[in-house]
Short mmCIF file of all heavy atoms in Angstrom, two decimals:
data_model
loop_
_atom_site.label_atom_id
_atom_site.label_comp_id
_atom_site.label_asym_id
_atom_site.label_seq_id
_atom_site.Cartn_x
_atom_site.Cartn_y
_atom_site.Cartn_z
N LYS A 1 -42.56 110.19 39.33
CA LYS A 1 -43.81 110.95 39.28
C LYS A 1 -44.29 111.30 40.68
O LYS A 1 -44.80 112.40 40.93
CB LYS A 1 -44.87 110.15 38.53
CG LYS A 1 -46.16 110.92 38.30
CD LYS A 1 -47.16 110.10 37.48
CE LYS A 1 -48.44 110.88 37.25
NZ LYS A 1 -49.41 110.07 36.44
N GLU A 2 -44.13 110.35 41.61
CA GLU A 2 -44.54 110.59 43.00
C GLU A 2 -43.77 111.75 43.62
O GLU A 2 -44.22 112.37 44.59
CB GLU A 2 -44.32 109.32 43.83
CG GLU A 2 -45.30 108.20 43.50
CD GLU A 2 -44.92 106.89 44.17
OE1 GLU A 2 -43.91 106.89 44.92
OE2 GLU A 2 -45.61 105.89 43.93
N HIS A 3 -42.58 112.03 43.07
CA HIS A 3 -41.75 113.13 43.58
C HIS A 3 -41.78 114.34 42.65
O HIS A 3 -40.91 115.22 42.73
CB HIS A 3 -40.31 112.65 43.77
CG HIS A 3 -40.16 111.64 44.88
ND1 HIS A 3 -40.46 110.31 44.71
CD2 HIS A 3 -39.77 111.77 46.18
CE1 HIS A 3 -40.24 109.65 45.83
NE2 HIS A 3 -39.84 110.51 46.74
N GLY A 4 -42.77 114.35 41.74
CA GLY A 4 -42.94 115.51 40.86
C GLY A 4 -41.91 115.61 39.76
O GLY A 4 -41.67 116.71 39.23
N LYS A 5 -41.29 114.50 39.38
CA LYS A 5 -40.26 114.51 38.34
C LYS A 5 -40.65 113.56 37.21
O LYS A 5 -41.50 112.68 37.37
CB LYS A 5 -38.90 114.08 38.90
CG LYS A 5 -38.45 114.83 40.14
CD LYS A 5 -38.28 116.31 39.89
CE LYS A 5 -37.88 117.04 41.17
NZ LYS A 5 -37.89 118.51 41.00
N SER A 6 -39.98 113.73 36.07
CA SER A 6 -40.23 112.85 34.93
C SER A 6 -39.00 112.82 34.03
O SER A 6 -38.08 113.63 34.17
CB SER A 6 -41.45 113.34 34.13
OG SER A 6 -41.16 114.60 33.53
N CYS A 7 -38.99 111.87 33.10
CA CYS A 7 -37.96 111.82 32.08
C CYS A 7 -38.51 111.00 30.92
O CYS A 7 -39.50 110.29 31.05
CB CYS A 7 -36.66 111.21 32.61
SG CYS A 7 -36.76 109.46 33.01
N SER A 8 -37.86 111.09 29.77
CA SER A 8 -38.31 110.33 28.61
C SER A 8 -38.00 108.85 28.81
O SER A 8 -37.16 108.48 29.65
CB SER A 8 -37.60 110.83 27.35
OG SER A 8 -36.22 110.51 27.39
N ARG A 9 -38.65 108.00 28.04
CA ARG A 9 -38.40 106.56 28.14
C ARG A 9 -36.95 106.27 27.79
O ARG A 9 -36.30 105.45 28.44
CB ARG A 9 -39.33 105.78 27.20
CG ARG A 9 -39.10 104.27 27.28
CD ARG A 9 -40.02 103.49 26.34
NE ARG A 9 -39.71 102.08 26.40
CZ ARG A 9 -40.22 101.24 27.29
NH1 ARG A 9 -41.05 101.68 28.21
NH2 ARG A 9 -39.88 99.95 27.28
N ARG A 10 -36.42 106.94 26.76
CA ARG A 10 -35.04 106.70 26.36
C ARG A 10 -34.08 107.07 27.48
O ARG A 10 -33.09 106.36 27.74
CB ARG A 10 -34.71 107.50 25.09
CG ARG A 10 -33.39 107.10 24.44
CD ARG A 10 -32.90 108.16 23.50
NE ARG A 10 -32.66 109.42 24.20
CZ ARG A 10 -31.60 109.66 24.96
NH1 ARG A 10 -30.69 108.72 25.16
NH2 ARG A 10 -31.46 110.82 25.57
N THR A 11 -34.35 108.17 28.18
CA THR A 11 -33.51 108.58 29.30
C THR A 11 -33.60 107.58 30.44
O THR A 11 -32.59 107.26 31.09
CB THR A 11 -33.91 109.98 29.78
OG1 THR A 11 -33.67 110.93 28.74
CG2 THR A 11 -33.12 110.40 31.01
N MET A 12 -34.80 107.04 30.69
CA MET A 12 -34.95 106.04 31.74
C MET A 12 -34.18 104.77 31.39
O MET A 12 -33.56 104.14 32.25
CB MET A 12 -36.43 105.72 31.95
CG MET A 12 -36.69 104.71 33.07
SD MET A 12 -36.04 105.26 34.68
CE MET A 12 -37.26 106.50 35.12
N GLU A 13 -34.20 104.37 30.11
CA GLU A 13 -33.44 103.21 29.67
C GLU A 13 -31.94 103.44 29.90
O GLU A 13 -31.22 102.55 30.36
CB GLU A 13 -33.71 102.93 28.20
CG GLU A 13 -35.12 102.41 27.93
CD GLU A 13 -35.44 102.30 26.45
OE1 GLU A 13 -34.60 102.73 25.63
OE2 GLU A 13 -36.52 101.77 26.11
N TYR A 14 -31.49 104.65 29.58
CA TYR A 14 -30.09 104.99 29.79
C TYR A 14 -29.73 104.94 31.28
O TYR A 14 -28.68 104.42 31.67
CB TYR A 14 -29.82 106.39 29.23
CG TYR A 14 -28.41 106.89 29.46
CD1 TYR A 14 -27.31 106.22 28.92
CD2 TYR A 14 -28.16 108.03 30.23
CE1 TYR A 14 -26.02 106.67 29.12
CE2 TYR A 14 -26.89 108.48 30.44
CZ TYR A 14 -25.82 107.80 29.89
OH TYR A 14 -24.53 108.24 30.10
N PHE A 15 -30.64 105.43 32.11
CA PHE A 15 -30.44 105.41 33.56
C PHE A 15 -30.26 103.97 34.06
O PHE A 15 -29.35 103.69 34.85
CB PHE A 15 -31.64 106.08 34.24
CG PHE A 15 -31.69 105.91 35.73
CD1 PHE A 15 -30.86 106.65 36.56
CD2 PHE A 15 -32.56 105.00 36.32
CE1 PHE A 15 -30.90 106.50 37.94
CE2 PHE A 15 -32.62 104.84 37.69
CZ PHE A 15 -31.78 105.58 38.50
N ILE A 16 -31.12 103.05 33.59
CA ILE A 16 -31.05 101.66 34.04
C ILE A 16 -29.75 101.00 33.60
O ILE A 16 -29.16 100.20 34.35
CB ILE A 16 -32.27 100.86 33.52
CG1 ILE A 16 -33.57 101.42 34.10
CG2 ILE A 16 -32.13 99.38 33.87
CD1 ILE A 16 -33.68 101.32 35.60
N THR A 17 -29.27 101.34 32.40
CA THR A 17 -27.99 100.76 31.97
C THR A 17 -26.84 101.24 32.84
O THR A 17 -25.82 100.56 32.98
CB THR A 17 -27.68 101.11 30.49
OG1 THR A 17 -27.54 102.53 30.34
CG2 THR A 17 -28.77 100.61 29.57
N LYS A 18 -27.00 102.40 33.44
CA LYS A 18 -25.95 102.94 34.33
C LYS A 18 -26.01 102.32 35.72
O LYS A 18 -24.98 102.06 36.34
CB LYS A 18 -26.12 104.46 34.47
CG LYS A 18 -25.80 105.25 33.22
CD LYS A 18 -24.32 105.57 33.10
CE LYS A 18 -23.91 106.65 34.06
NZ LYS A 18 -22.50 107.05 33.87
N THR A 19 -27.22 102.08 36.22
CA THR A 19 -27.37 101.67 37.61
C THR A 19 -27.42 100.16 37.81
O THR A 19 -27.14 99.67 38.90
CB THR A 19 -28.66 102.24 38.21
OG1 THR A 19 -29.79 101.73 37.49
CG2 THR A 19 -28.68 103.76 38.13
N GLY A 20 -27.80 99.41 36.77
CA GLY A 20 -28.03 97.99 36.96
C GLY A 20 -29.46 97.75 37.40
O GLY A 20 -30.30 98.66 37.39
N PHE A 21 -29.79 96.52 37.83
CA PHE A 21 -31.17 96.13 38.02
C PHE A 21 -31.56 95.88 39.47
O PHE A 21 -32.65 95.40 39.76
CB PHE A 21 -31.46 94.88 37.18
CG PHE A 21 -31.17 95.10 35.72
CD1 PHE A 21 -29.96 94.69 35.17
CD2 PHE A 21 -32.07 95.74 34.91
CE1 PHE A 21 -29.68 94.92 33.84
CE2 PHE A 21 -31.81 95.97 33.57
CZ PHE A 21 -30.60 95.56 33.03
N GLN A 22 -30.66 96.18 40.43
CA GLN A 22 -31.01 96.04 41.85
C GLN A 22 -31.86 97.22 42.28
O GLN A 22 -31.45 98.37 42.19
CB GLN A 22 -29.74 95.95 42.70
CG GLN A 22 -28.89 94.73 42.41
CD GLN A 22 -29.60 93.45 42.77
OE1 GLN A 22 -30.34 93.39 43.75
NE2 GLN A 22 -29.39 92.40 41.99
N MET A 23 -33.05 96.93 42.79
CA MET A 23 -34.01 98.00 43.07
C MET A 23 -33.55 98.95 44.17
O MET A 23 -33.85 100.14 44.13
CB MET A 23 -35.37 97.41 43.39
CG MET A 23 -36.01 96.73 42.19
SD MET A 23 -37.63 96.02 42.53
CE MET A 23 -38.61 97.50 42.70
N ASP A 24 -32.81 98.43 45.17
CA ASP A 24 -32.33 99.33 46.22
C ASP A 24 -31.35 100.35 45.64
O ASP A 24 -31.38 101.53 46.01
CB ASP A 24 -31.70 98.55 47.37
CG ASP A 24 -30.59 97.61 46.92
OD1 ASP A 24 -30.43 97.39 45.70
OD2 ASP A 24 -29.86 97.10 47.79
N ASN A 25 -30.51 99.91 44.71
CA ASN A 25 -29.57 100.84 44.10
C ASN A 25 -30.29 101.83 43.19
O ASN A 25 -29.95 103.02 43.16
CB ASN A 25 -28.51 100.08 43.29
CG ASN A 25 -27.46 101.01 42.71
OD1 ASN A 25 -26.79 101.72 43.44
ND2 ASN A 25 -27.35 101.05 41.40
N ILE A 26 -31.31 101.36 42.48
CA ILE A 26 -32.09 102.25 41.60
C ILE A 26 -32.74 103.35 42.43
O ILE A 26 -32.71 104.53 42.06
CB ILE A 26 -33.16 101.45 40.83
CG1 ILE A 26 -32.47 100.55 39.78
CG2 ILE A 26 -34.15 102.37 40.14
CD1 ILE A 26 -33.41 99.60 39.08
N VAL A 27 -33.33 102.98 43.57
CA VAL A 27 -33.98 103.97 44.43
C VAL A 27 -32.96 104.99 44.93
O VAL A 27 -33.22 106.20 44.93
CB VAL A 27 -34.69 103.28 45.62
CG1 VAL A 27 -35.13 104.32 46.66
CG2 VAL A 27 -35.90 102.51 45.13
N ASN A 28 -31.80 104.52 45.36
CA ASN A 28 -30.75 105.43 45.84
C ASN A 28 -30.36 106.44 44.76
O ASN A 28 -30.22 107.64 45.03
CB ASN A 28 -29.52 104.65 46.28
CG ASN A 28 -29.74 103.88 47.57
OD1 ASN A 28 -30.62 104.23 48.36
ND2 ASN A 28 -28.96 102.84 47.79
N GLU A 29 -30.18 105.94 43.53
CA GLU A 29 -29.77 106.83 42.44
C GLU A 29 -30.89 107.78 42.03
O GLU A 29 -30.63 108.94 41.70
CB GLU A 29 -29.31 106.00 41.24
CG GLU A 29 -28.07 105.14 41.50
CD GLU A 29 -26.85 105.97 41.89
OE1 GLU A 29 -26.60 107.00 41.25
OE2 GLU A 29 -26.16 105.58 42.86
N LEU A 30 -32.14 107.30 42.07
CA LEU A 30 -33.27 108.19 41.77
C LEU A 30 -33.38 109.30 42.81
O LEU A 30 -33.63 110.47 42.47
CB LEU A 30 -34.57 107.39 41.73
CG LEU A 30 -34.80 106.50 40.51
CD1 LEU A 30 -36.05 105.65 40.68
CD2 LEU A 30 -34.89 107.31 39.22
N ASP A 31 -33.18 108.95 44.08
CA ASP A 31 -33.23 109.97 45.15
C ASP A 31 -32.14 111.03 44.95
O ASP A 31 -32.37 112.22 45.18
CB ASP A 31 -33.06 109.30 46.51
CG ASP A 31 -34.31 108.54 46.95
OD1 ASP A 31 -35.39 108.82 46.40
OD2 ASP A 31 -34.20 107.67 47.84
N LYS A 32 -30.96 110.56 44.52
CA LYS A 32 -29.87 111.52 44.25
C LYS A 32 -30.25 112.46 43.11
O LYS A 32 -30.01 113.67 43.18
CB LYS A 32 -28.59 110.76 43.90
CG LYS A 32 -27.90 110.12 45.11
CD LYS A 32 -26.90 109.07 44.72
CE LYS A 32 -25.79 109.58 43.85
NZ LYS A 32 -24.79 108.52 43.56
N LEU A 33 -30.87 111.91 42.05
CA LEU A 33 -31.28 112.73 40.91
C LEU A 33 -32.35 113.73 41.32
O LEU A 33 -32.31 114.90 40.93
CB LEU A 33 -31.81 111.84 39.79
CG LEU A 33 -30.77 111.15 38.92
CD1 LEU A 33 -31.44 110.09 38.04
CD2 LEU A 33 -30.02 112.15 38.06
N ILE A 34 -33.33 113.26 42.10
CA ILE A 34 -34.43 114.13 42.54
C ILE A 34 -33.89 115.31 43.35
O ILE A 34 -34.30 116.46 43.16
CB ILE A 34 -35.46 113.31 43.36
CG1 ILE A 34 -36.19 112.34 42.45
CG2 ILE A 34 -36.44 114.24 44.08
CD1 ILE A 34 -36.95 111.25 43.20
N GLY A 35 -32.94 115.02 44.24
CA GLY A 35 -32.33 116.09 45.02
C GLY A 35 -31.47 117.02 44.18
O GLY A 35 -31.44 118.24 44.41
N TYR A 36 -30.80 116.45 43.18
CA TYR A 36 -29.87 117.24 42.36
C TYR A 36 -30.59 118.25 41.47
O TYR A 36 -30.17 119.40 41.35
CB TYR A 36 -29.04 116.29 41.50
CG TYR A 36 -28.14 116.99 40.51
CD1 TYR A 36 -26.98 117.65 40.94
CD2 TYR A 36 -28.44 117.00 39.15
CE1 TYR A 36 -26.15 118.31 40.04
CE2 TYR A 36 -27.61 117.65 38.25
CZ TYR A 36 -26.47 118.29 38.69
OH TYR A 36 -25.65 118.94 37.79
N VAL A 37 -31.72 117.84 40.83
CA VAL A 37 -32.38 118.75 39.87
C VAL A 37 -33.19 119.83 40.58
O VAL A 37 -33.60 120.80 39.94
CB VAL A 37 -33.28 117.96 38.90
CG1 VAL A 37 -32.46 116.96 38.09
CG2 VAL A 37 -34.41 117.24 39.63
N GLY A 38 -33.44 119.67 41.88
CA GLY A 38 -34.14 120.72 42.63
C GLY A 38 -35.57 120.91 42.14
O GLY A 38 -36.34 119.96 42.07
N GLU A 39 -35.91 122.14 41.77
CA GLU A 39 -37.27 122.46 41.34
C GLU A 39 -37.53 122.08 39.89
O GLU A 39 -38.68 122.06 39.45
CB GLU A 39 -37.53 123.97 41.51
CG GLU A 39 -37.45 124.46 42.96
CD GLU A 39 -38.48 123.78 43.84
OE1 GLU A 39 -39.63 123.62 43.38
OE2 GLU A 39 -38.13 123.38 44.96
N ARG A 40 -36.50 121.80 39.13
CA ARG A 40 -36.67 121.44 37.71
C ARG A 40 -37.41 120.10 37.61
O ARG A 40 -36.99 119.12 38.22
CB ARG A 40 -35.31 121.40 37.03
CG ARG A 40 -35.36 120.99 35.57
CD ARG A 40 -34.12 121.48 34.80
NE ARG A 40 -32.89 121.14 35.51
CZ ARG A 40 -32.23 119.99 35.36
NH1 ARG A 40 -32.70 119.05 34.55
NH2 ARG A 40 -31.10 119.78 36.01
N PRO A 41 -38.47 120.03 36.78
CA PRO A 41 -39.28 118.81 36.75
C PRO A 41 -38.71 117.66 35.92
O PRO A 41 -39.00 116.50 36.19
CB PRO A 41 -40.62 119.28 36.17
CG PRO A 41 -40.26 120.46 35.32
CD PRO A 41 -39.11 121.13 36.01
N GLU A 42 -37.92 117.97 34.89
CA GLU A 42 -37.48 116.92 33.98
C GLU A 42 -36.02 116.54 34.20
O GLU A 42 -35.15 117.40 34.37
CB GLU A 42 -37.67 117.35 32.52
CG GLU A 42 -37.37 116.21 31.54
CD GLU A 42 -37.75 116.55 30.11
OE1 GLU A 42 -38.24 117.67 29.88
OE2 GLU A 42 -37.55 115.70 29.24
#
């Protein structure tokens, strides 16, 4: 939300199953997603 993006709860759950529970890795993967979707909010 701080970066102007969002996703459904189910999608967030799916994301966590892919990345695991280490917060540094989660942040890295979120940053990659934020950069990848560009102007698209979801």
